[in-house]
DNA sequence: ATTGGTGCAAAGGATTTGCAGTCTA
DNA sequence: TAGACTGCAAATCCTTTGCACCAAT
């Protein structure tokens, strides 16, 4: 678990005012590289006692993502995941279980891009490699 | 606009029973290669008169996607897009406007994968290249 | 006739919002 | 103290569901 002072420093580096709740949330996120949904963060933060409200968790995660502290991963149509690992890498997404895992970056190459859409600049690239459980026989609807 | 008989054939090829509403929806989708959300499809289908209900649009889009007629694109946390172009290709997503556009496939290479997660098999790969509007100055929250 | 499809409205789940109270700088 | 942040509950938005009616084979 990242210590409190490191978290405060991290917040400041990213221009985010540090508050009790933001520190709690950041400590959960940066405990290790992981993918958590807002609800999962809420559950972890409030595991011991109720320290942070749902609204604040959502607000903080959105803020952290905008500030580049964490990365938003859109893979599951039902919820957004936040990744505390912002280094270049991509993801496996298990469509059966909804689990996300890391995909080493070396295996994906994006060549020179010919033309971005009119009047736009590159922001980021998300690669989602979808996998299914092997055992499950494909459901024949 | 794809004619009615072609749509009926397409449905049959994919093992989807053809009905009035599904034909209406498919005609919208396959009018041209495009990315539409459920609500956009609903609006287009019912442009003239109310022919199809919201539930049926959602059901049909889900069915078409499962059957491989169209492709589901998860890029915008707020809604799912459906792409009538199922050939190998990826997407640009403008985070400012929420617009999706095609990214020619040649520019992305996925090398051999070392290890998929335990007990899983490959399903598909989605690459979302996020872009921002050039003019807009980055908002400094 | 049977089975599957549709429509409606209500339910559901994730995320956001409004506003009063509280904390940080 | 002023401005920013938080908490709570209500509000929103997209999507799914339950169930009665209708259509396709």
């Amino acid at each position: 678990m990242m210590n409190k002072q490191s978290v405060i420093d991290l917040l400041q580096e990213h221009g985010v005012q540090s508050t009790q709740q933001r520190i709690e949330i950041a400590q959960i996120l940066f405990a290790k590289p992981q993918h958590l949904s807002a609800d999962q963060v809420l559950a972890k933060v409030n595991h011991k006692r109720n320290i942070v409200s749902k609204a604040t968790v959502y607000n903080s995660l959105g803020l952290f993502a905008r500030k580049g502290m964490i990365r938003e991963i859109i893979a599951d149509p039902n919820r957004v995941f936040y990744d505390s690992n912002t280094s270049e890498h991509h993801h496996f997404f298990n469509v059966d279980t909804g689990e996300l895992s890391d995909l080493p970056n070396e295996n994906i190459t994006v060549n020179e891009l010919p033309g971005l859409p009119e009047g736009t600049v590159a922001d980021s690239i998300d690669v989602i490699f979808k996998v299914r459980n092997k055992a499950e026989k494909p459901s024949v609807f």
Side-chain angles (χ1 to χ4, degrees), chain A:
Chain A
M1 168 79 77
M2 194 178 239
N3 75 60
K4 189 165 170 175
Q5 190 53 53
S6 313
V7 168
I8 294 175
D9 293 346
L10 184 67
L11 289 165
Q12 287 196 350
E13 284 164 26
H14 288 270
V16 176
Q17 181 178 311
S18 64
T19 67
Q20 274 272 257
Q21 319 36 216
R22 288 175 183 174
I23 293 167
E24 290 291 339
I25 295 168
Q27 280 191 128
I28 297 293
L29 292 170
F30 294 100
K32 61 181 179 191
Q34 58 186 329
H35 316 101
L36 296 173
S37 68
D39 260 356
Q40 290 173 324
V41 172
L42 182 65
K44 278 175 183 278
V45 168
N46 293 339
H47 188 234
K48 308 155 195 167
R49 61 186 66 76
N50 272 46
I51 313 171
V52 185
S53 75
K54 182 183 278 200
T56 297
V57 168
Y58 276 92
N59 289 339
S60 300
L61 290 173
L63 177 63
F64 292 178
R66 279 202 308 281
K67 292 295 193 175
M69 287 174 58
I70 57 180
R71 181 162 153 199
E72 213 175 34
I73 303 170
I74 314 295
D76 187 329
N78 300 308
R79 75 186 133 283
V80 176
F81 281 100
Y82 293 91
D83 192 344
S84 54
N85 174 6
T86 54
S87 70
E88 278 274 308
H89 71 289
H90 300 298
H91 298 94
F92 287 113
F93 176 64
N94 186 321
V95 297
D96 288 323
T97 64
E99 284 170 300
L100 270 181
S101 52
D102 287 344
L103 186 164
N105 192 44
E106 315 86 67
N107 297 287
I108 303 279
T109 305
V110 179
N111 303 329
E112 270 318 297
L113 295 164
L116 274 67
E118 272 302 306
T120 65
V121 293
D123 182 286
S124 61
I125 300 185
D126 295 350
V127 178
I128 308 288
F129 194 119
K130 293 187 180 165
V131 299
R132 283 177 291 108
N133 283 340
K134 195 179 287 174
E136 263 179 43
K137 54 171 176 285
S139 49
V140 186
F141 283 96

